[in-house]
């Protein structure tokens, strides 16, 4: 399985209805999340979450697919191939 490192951007337009679902999905996939930052954008009545991830394409795809299936949530990702660790 090919591993990737990348950034996932999540825009949450309906925070009240989506927050619990998002947090549940992120908890399910915690093993591939290296870092997470969430910022409420009150002027636009939405929130933005950025994730740094490290996992296989299947693991990342499973997580982003579930997140993208939530109404009021948009997801975009940028991934690169993971270089082998140097000895």
């Amino acid at each position: 399985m090919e591993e990737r490192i990348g950034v996932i951007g999540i825009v949450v337009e309906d925070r009240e209805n989506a927050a619990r679902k998002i947090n549940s999905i992120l908890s399910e996939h915690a093993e591939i999340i290296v870092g997470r930052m969430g910022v409420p954008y009150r002027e636009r009545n939405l929130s933005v979450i950025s994730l740094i991830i490290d996992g296989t394409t299947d693991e990342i795809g499973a997580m982003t697919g579930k997140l993208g299936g939530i109404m009021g949530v948009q997801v975009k990702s940028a991934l690169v191939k993971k270089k082998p660790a140097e000895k």
Side-chain angles (χ1 to χ4, degrees):
M1 205 58 57
E2 196 163 28
E3 292 201 353
R4 306 280 182 169
I5 294 175
V7 178
I8 297 175
I10 306 165
V11 177
V12 184
E13 297 171 334
D14 187 359
R15 189 171 167 222
E16 286 187 26
N17 292 321
R20 189 173 304 171
K21 293 175 187 175
I22 292 169
N23 286 323
S24 175
I25 292 166
L26 295 180
S27 292
E28 286 175 32
H29 298 276
E31 69 279 353
I32 67 169
I33 299 173
V34 177
R36 171 183 174 174
M37 179 179 64
V39 179
Y41 192 177
R42 290 180 183 88
E43 292 83 11
R44 298 214 181 229
N45 197 31
L46 52 84
S47 295
V48 179
I49 301 169
S50 60
L51 303 174
I52 299 170
I53 48 93
D54 183 351
T56 66
T57 52
D58 287 349
E59 291 169 329
I60 295 166
M63 183 180 70
T64 57
K66 289 177 186 177
L67 290 167
I70 301 171
M71 188 173 294
V73 175
Q74 295 184 39
V75 181
K76 298 292 180 190
S77 59
L79 307 173
V80 296
K81 288 183 183 179
K82 185 176 179 179
K83 293 182 181 179
E86 292 184 25
K87 294 182 180 182

